[in-house]
């Protein structure tokens, strides 16, 4: 939407004295705002979010601005992932291979031991036994039989394996000849898992499992492979025989493989990072150079060029960039030369026309003074000649002033002035025109000093142009001049209730020689350069000159200046859109209706019917209480000619909702019908 008739943004109050239609609704989108400023919630939560954000912001800013860092970091992360994946695969394969080899060797070793134990248990008794069948000789040998068996089987291990003999779970193990036996100081009960013992006791073959081998002498437990089976001793009693194979050597081998892979992977990742850094540097360096050269070209250093080496793609890019810069330099120089010629032509013509214009003025004054002796037709011609000569002189003066701004020769003579005195002089000069138009000029906000460092002559010229335009196009209604001061800014707003501005015209009204209806001849108004010069004067002060208007609702022009020279503006004490605009009144009615619907008691705002308003020559002026809200940022730039950037009207609507109101506001209804025909505005 254009600046002339913009509505406020949804969800933000746009009317002072009332709320918008969406009153009472609150935004609770925590997920999308948890890392943004202004996070809703308790102060503790906001403090925590700020504490988390503070160390991350520099890193995030560096990550977003440095493409070389992003490429190298991405390469390192991906390389690390690939190395880890390959390491896990290789280590898994090595571990499985070691375990398979260990299991095969262990099964072969344990099978031989089990066969030896079975053969020894089935061997005939030793000589010297009794012939009466008492078996005392075999009984005597069974006392040490298991111990001798464990010692004999473990004698070939030499630490490569251990042998453990345990009584079967179904027999009594309380007697000394049936107790646990183990070699190498191994804890026989703790080293064999109970689950394996149950399987061995219930089965007939050999069973195996991985367990931790524990020692009675305080050594650290070691992982191992336990293989066991159920056999019978010389007495025919069942017992369990186990082989325990430590995996210490396999662990050392696996640790060596892990260390080798980790070292090789680390060197590989670092090497890949260095390679990525070197490769990316070859690409990023010319891009950075191009960016630096582009910045220097944008800073008017048109002679800067890229250094081109080689014949690759980057070199062709540099050559194309240099050729583009050279063409731009030639075009800009041509345009600058043409602009200088145009400015020189305008300045020379304006100066050269002054001499013949002075002669013509003298002759016209003589003819004008003697018009009483002429016939009516000649007398009228003399009057028209004098009037057009006045316009011609004004046009020459404006052209000379514009040429000074274009050439950069305009100088600012700033000194502390009270804008109330300037406004008073402007109103005194415009009183004769206001009396002829039937317009009354009212001043609001002059109850306190409005002091700023400014050029009094230029500020008076700006305000005179605004006030005269408001009187000429106000259609006989009141013109309100409002002044305000807050923070580091002062402002003067001129409000009229004439035909207003159509949507989009508020941005074009500052263009040179712009007219609302170009089909009509310029028979009224000024030279068409007044607002263009006013914009340049405001910009010379470092201030803003902005316009607002709506069809049939009048317009308002606001001049905002810094209180101290060279101080940047952050806001304006006066909102650009007046409070008595149709959109503001509609928002006030909607806000009042919404609050009444929520059960709130609000004072009703009297609105006069259209017929009553149109019959009154002067709109009513209900007082508005002063407000004390602080100034907010106003990002809008100076609109109009001279290549100034024009900010859309929606930005102004946002600024108005946050700007500082004047110390004394005056609200008036616009007494113009919506279907009133708009006349041409020759500002």
């Amino acid at each position: 939407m254009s600046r002339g008739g913009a509505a406020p943004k949804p969800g933000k109050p746009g009317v002072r004295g009332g709320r918008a239609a969406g009153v009472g609704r609150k935004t609770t989108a925590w997920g999308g705002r948890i890392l943004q400023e202004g996070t809703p919630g308790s102060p503790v939560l906001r403090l925590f979010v700020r504490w988390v954000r503070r160390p991350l912001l520099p890193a995030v800013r560096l990550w977003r601005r440095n493409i070389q860092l992003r490429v190298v970091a991405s390469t390192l992360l991906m390389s690390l992932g690939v190395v880890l994946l390959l390491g896990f695969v290789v280590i898994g394969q090595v571990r499985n291979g070691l375990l398979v080899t260990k299991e095969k060797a262990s099964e072969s070793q344990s099978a031989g031991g089990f066969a030896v134990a079975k053969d020894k248990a089935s061997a005939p008794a030793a000589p010297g036994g009794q012939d009466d069948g008492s078996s005392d000789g075999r009984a005597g040998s069974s006392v040490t039989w298991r111990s001798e068996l464990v010692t004999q089987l473990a004698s070939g291990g030499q630490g490569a394996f251990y042998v453990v003999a345990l009584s079967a779970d179904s027999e009594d193990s309380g007697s000394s000849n049936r107790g646990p036996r183990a070699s190498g100081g191994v804890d026989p009960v703790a080293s064999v898992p109970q689950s394996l013992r149950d399987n061995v006791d219930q089965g007939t073959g050999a069973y195996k499992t991985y367990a931790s081998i524990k020692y009675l002498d305080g050594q650290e437990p070691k992982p191992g492979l336990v293989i066991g089976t159920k056999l019978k001793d010389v007495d025919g009693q069942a017992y369990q025989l186990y082989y325990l194979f430590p995996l210490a050597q396999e662990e050392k081998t696996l640790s060596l493989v892990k260390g080798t892979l980790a070292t090789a992977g680390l060197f590989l990742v670092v090497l890949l990072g260095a390679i990525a850094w070197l490769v990316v540097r070859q690409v990023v360096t010319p891009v950075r150079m191009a960016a630096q050269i582009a910045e220097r070209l944008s800073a008017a250093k048109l002679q800067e060029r890229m250094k081109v080496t080689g014949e690759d793609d980057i070199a062709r890019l540099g050559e194309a960039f240099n050729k583009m810069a050279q063409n731009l330099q030639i075009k800009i120089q041509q345009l600058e030369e043409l602009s200088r010629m145009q400015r020189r032509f305008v300045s020379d013509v304006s100066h050269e026309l002054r001499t013949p214009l002075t002669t013509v003025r003298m002759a016209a004054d003589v003819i004008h003074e003697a018009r009483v002796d002429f016939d009516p037709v000649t007398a009228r011609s003399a009057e028209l000649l004098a009037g057009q000569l006045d316009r011609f002189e004004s046009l020459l003066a404006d052209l000379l002033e514009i040429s000074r701004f274009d050439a950069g020769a305009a100088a600012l003579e700033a000194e502390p002035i009270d804008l109330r005195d300037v406004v008073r002089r402007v109103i005194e000069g415009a009183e004769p025109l206001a009396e002829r138009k039937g317009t009354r000029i009212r001043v609001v906000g002059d109850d306190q000093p409005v002091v700023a460092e400014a050029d009094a002559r230029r500020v008076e010229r700006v305000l005179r142009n605004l006030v005269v335009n408001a009187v000429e196009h106000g259609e006989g209604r009141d013109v309100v001049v409002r002044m305000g001061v807050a923070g580091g800014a002062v402002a003067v707003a001129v409000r009229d209730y004439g035909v207003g501005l159509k949507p989009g015209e508020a941005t074009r009204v500052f263009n040179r020689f712009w007219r609302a209806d170009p089909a009509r001849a310029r028979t009224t108004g000024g030279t068409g350069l007044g607002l263009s010069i006013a914009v340049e004067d405001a910009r010379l002060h470092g201030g803003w000159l902005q316009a607002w208007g709506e069809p049939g609702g009048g317009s308002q022009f606001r001049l905002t200046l810094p209180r101290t020279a060279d101080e940047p503006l952050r806001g304006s004490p006066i909102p650009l859109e007046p409070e008595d605009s149709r959109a503001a009144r509609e928002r006030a009615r909607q806000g009042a209706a919404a609050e009444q619907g929520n059960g709130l008691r609000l004072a009703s705002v009297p609105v006069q019917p259209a017929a009553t308003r149109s019959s009154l020559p002067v709109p009513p002026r209900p007082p508005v209480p002063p407000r004390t809200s602080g100034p907010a940022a106003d990002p809008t730039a100076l609109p109009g000619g001279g290549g100034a950037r024009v900010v859309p009207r929606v930005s102004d609507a946002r600024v108005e909702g946050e700007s500082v109101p004047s110390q004394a506001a005056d609200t008036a209804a616009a007494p113009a019908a919506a279907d009133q025909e708009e006349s041409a505005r020759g500002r």
Side-chain angles (χ1 to χ4, degrees):
M1 183 176 291
S2 63
R3 297 178 62 182
K9 290 183 178 180
K12 294 186 70 176
V15 180
R16 296 178 176 86
R19 294 185 181 179
V23 64
R25 293 180 294 181
K26 296 182 180 179
T27 303
T28 57
W30 289 73
R33 300 177 56 189
I34 192 64
L35 290 180
Q36 299 179 2
E37 292 295 337
T39 303
S42 63
V44 177
L45 178 60
R46 289 195 295 269
L47 182 62
F48 174 75
V49 172
R50 192 179 296 112
W51 178 77
V52 172
R53 283 168 51 91
R54 186 170 299 170
L56 294 179
L57 285 178
V60 172
R61 188 179 299 111
L62 180 62
W63 175 266
R64 294 178 60 183
R65 297 183 60 182
N66 196 325
I67 186 174
Q68 186 174 4
L69 174 63
R70 293 202 302 269
V71 173
V72 173
S74 302
T75 304
L76 288 176
L77 290 177
M78 290 187 291
S79 303
L80 182 62
V82 172
V83 169
L84 290 177
L85 181 61
L86 292 178
F88 286 137
V89 172
V90 171
I91 291 174
Q93 294 293 333
V94 172
R95 182 180 64 249
N96 294 335
L98 291 175
L99 292 179
V100 169
T101 303
K102 185 67 175 180
E103 286 180 1
K104 291 181 178 180
S106 302
E107 290 175 354
S108 176
Q109 180 70 32
S110 61
F114 295 154
V116 171
K118 186 181 297 185
D119 294 341
K120 188 175 181 181
S122 61
Q130 299 295 331
D131 297 334
D132 55 1
S134 61
S135 70
D136 290 341
R138 295 178 61 88
S141 64
S142 65
V143 175
T144 61
W145 186 83
R146 292 189 182 181
S147 300
E148 293 175 353
L149 176 64
V150 169
T151 303
Q152 180 182 355
L153 295 178
S155 60
Q158 299 295 330
F161 58 87
Y162 305 102
V163 180
V164 174
L166 299 176
S167 299
D169 293 341
S170 59
E171 70 175 3
D172 184 16
S173 60
S175 59
S176 60
N177 62 331
R178 297 176 182 175
R181 303 289 192 276
S183 65
V186 174
D187 188 347
V189 178
S191 298
V192 180
Q194 184 63 38
S195 59
L196 180 62
R197 295 183 60 183
D198 295 339
N199 293 333
V200 171
D201 185 64
Q202 297 175 4
T204 57
Y207 295 88
K208 61 183 177 181
T209 186
Y210 291 99
S212 178
I213 301 176
K214 300 179 181 179
Y215 299 88
L216 297 174
D217 54 359
Q219 296 184 33
E220 291 292 332
K222 299 178 181 179
L225 177 64
V226 182
I227 302 177
T229 188
K230 185 177 181 181
L231 300 174
K232 290 186 178 181
D233 57 8
V234 294
D235 296 332
Q237 299 294 329
Y239 73 99
Q240 298 175 354
L241 184 63
Y242 296 95
Y243 271 77
L244 283 67
F245 298 91
L247 300 177
Q249 187 63 35
E250 285 73 14
E251 270 196 335
K252 292 181 180 179
T253 303
L254 192 60
S255 299
L256 178 62
V257 172
K258 289 181 179 179
T260 304
L261 288 177
T263 304
L266 179 61
F267 278 107
L268 180 61
V269 170
V270 173
L271 182 61
L272 289 177
I275 293 174
W277 183 80
L278 291 175
V279 172
V280 175
R281 179 182 175 83
Q282 295 179 1
V283 179
V284 172
T285 300
V287 175
R288 289 177 177 173
M289 185 185 301
Q292 295 175 358
I293 298 300
E295 292 177 356
R296 294 171 186 171
L297 290 175
S298 63
K301 298 180 180 179
L302 303 178
Q303 71 279 0
E304 295 290 337
R305 296 293 183 270
M306 287 185 61
K307 182 180 179 181
V308 179
T309 57
E311 298 179 356
D312 54 3
D313 297 335
I314 299 298
R316 290 198 298 270
L317 175 62
E319 292 176 355
F321 185 89
N322 291 339
K323 187 178 296 184
M324 178 191 67
Q326 183 177 0
N327 294 335
L328 287 177
Q329 181 180 8
I330 294 174
K331 291 296 182 182
I332 291 175
Q333 290 175 352
Q334 292 176 354
L335 292 176
E336 288 179 348
E337 183 65 25
L338 179 60
S339 178
R340 283 195 297 268
M341 291 175 60
Q342 290 177 346
R343 290 196 300 266
R344 183 65 179 269
F345 175 77
V346 173
S347 178
D348 293 344
V349 168
S350 301
H351 282 90
E352 293 298 330
L353 287 178
R354 281 188 174 275
T355 301
L357 180 60
T358 304
T359 304
V360 175
R361 163 59 68 183
M362 294 173 59
D365 290 342
V366 173
I367 297 174
H368 187 268
E369 291 176 358
R371 70 184 183 281
V372 294
D373 300 331
F374 301 153
D375 58 275
V377 176
T378 307
R380 179 55 180 166
S381 300
E383 294 176 356
L384 292 176
L385 178 61
Q388 293 303 317
L389 282 175
D390 292 338
R391 290 175 56 85
F392 195 11
E393 287 182 342
S394 300
L395 179 60
L396 281 179
D398 291 344
L399 286 175
L400 284 174
E401 190 67 23
I402 285 290
S403 64
R404 294 191 188 96
F405 283 118
D406 292 341
L412 184 68
E413 299 177 359
E415 60 181 0
I417 60 173
D418 193 342
L419 295 185
R420 296 182 300 174
D421 300 333
V422 179
V423 171
R424 198 172 296 116
R425 292 196 300 268
V426 170
I427 293 177
E428 290 177 357
E431 279 296 338
L433 177 61
E435 291 179 358
R436 292 197 303 270
K437 296 288 186 177
T439 300
R440 182 164 62 103
I441 303 176
R442 297 187 288 108
V443 180
V444 178
D446 58 344
D447 52 347
Q448 61 177 348
V450 185
V451 180
E453 292 183 4
D455 191 332
R457 179 182 65 86
R458 297 184 182 275
V459 174
E460 183 175 351
R461 179 168 59 188
V462 174
L463 297 180
R464 183 184 302 110
N465 187 283
L466 300 181
V467 172
V468 170
N469 283 343
V471 172
E472 288 183 347
H473 304 286
E475 297 185 343
R477 298 182 178 90
D478 275 8
V479 172
V480 181
V481 179
R482 180 177 288 107
M483 291 182 287
V485 55
V490 298
V492 179
V494 180
R495 174 78 161 102
D496 67 78
Y497 298 91
V499 295
L501 296 173
K502 294 180 180 179
E505 291 182 352
T507 60
R508 299 193 300 269
V509 72
F510 298 98
N511 295 341
R512 299 176 185 179
F513 301 108
W514 180 84
R515 292 180 63 84
D517 188 359
R520 299 188 180 185
R522 183 180 294 277
T523 57
T524 60
T527 62
L529 296 173
L531 289 179
S532 300
I533 296 175
V535 165
E536 298 294 342
D537 284 332
R539 185 182 293 110
L540 194 61
H541 285 83
W544 305 329
L545 180 58
Q546 299 159 300
W548 170 91
E550 59 184 3
S555 60
Q556 176 165 293
F557 288 77
R558 182 183 67 181
L559 173 65
T560 308
L561 301 176
R563 299 185 65 178
T564 306
D566 300 330
E567 179 181 0
L569 287 177
R570 295 187 300 271
S572 180
I574 301 176
L576 182 59
E577 181 179 355
E579 298 179 355
D580 55 359
S581 64
R582 284 197 297 267
R585 295 199 303 272
E586 181 64 24
R587 291 193 296 268
R589 285 194 294 268
Q590 292 178 359
E595 291 185 354
Q596 289 177 359
N598 293 333
L600 301 177
R601 295 183 178 180
L602 296 178
S604 61
V605 179
V607 180
Q608 294 181 345
T612 306
R613 292 198 306 267
S614 60
S615 61
L616 294 177
V618 178
R621 294 175 293 165
V624 177
R627 300 167 180 83
T628 59
S629 59
D634 191 343
T636 56
L638 290 175
R645 179 171 61 90
V646 178
V647 178
R649 179 66 182 87
V650 87
S651 299
D652 296 333
R654 177 178 60 79
V655 174
E656 292 163 27
E658 303 172 351
S659 60
V660 181
S662 59
Q663 299 297 326
D666 184 41
T667 305
D675 58 348
Q676 181 179 6
E677 180 181 0
E678 180 183 8
S679 62
R681 304 200 59 168
R683 294 184 186 267

